[in-house]
Amino acid sequence: MSIDSIKNTATSKPRAYRAVNIREDTYARMKVVCAELQATHNAFMELAINNLIKEYERKTAEWKNYM
């Protein structure tokens, strides 16, 4: 997944969202980015979480190779 893959995913019909406990200022910044990309919050959060998981897996592999 990339930034380009979430562009223009916004729709006019509401969708069910899962609560994500993030700071209000972080949420506000996310809303601005999603509006600029015309992306759904769900697509944005999924991309962010998947990227963090990939980074974790990469770091874990590096740590294992270091030992």
Side-chain angles (χ1 to χ4, degrees):
M1 252 182 138
S2 67
I3 293 284
D4 290 332
S5 71
I6 68 170
K7 284 184 179 177
N8 300 316
T9 57
T11 62
S12 58
K13 62 180 183 178
R15 302 209 179 187
Y17 289 98
R18 291 171 182 83
V20 177
N21 190 11
I22 59 176
R23 291 174 32 165
E24 188 174 334
D25 60 326
T26 302
Y27 183 75
R29 290 178 17 215
M30 181 190 76
K31 284 178 60 175
V32 170
V33 172
C34 287
E36 289 177 8
L37 295 174
Q38 294 182 344
T40 62
H41 296 177
N42 184 46
F44 182 87
M45 292 299 292
E46 188 172 348
L47 174 63
I49 291 168
N50 283 328
N51 285 340
L52 285 171
I53 291 170
K54 286 178 188 174
E55 182 179 345
Y56 168 78
E57 290 170 344
R58 184 179 53 82
K59 288 283 189 182
T60 302
E62 287 176 8
W63 293 332
K64 287 179 182 177
N65 289 333
Y66 181 71
M67 295 182 148

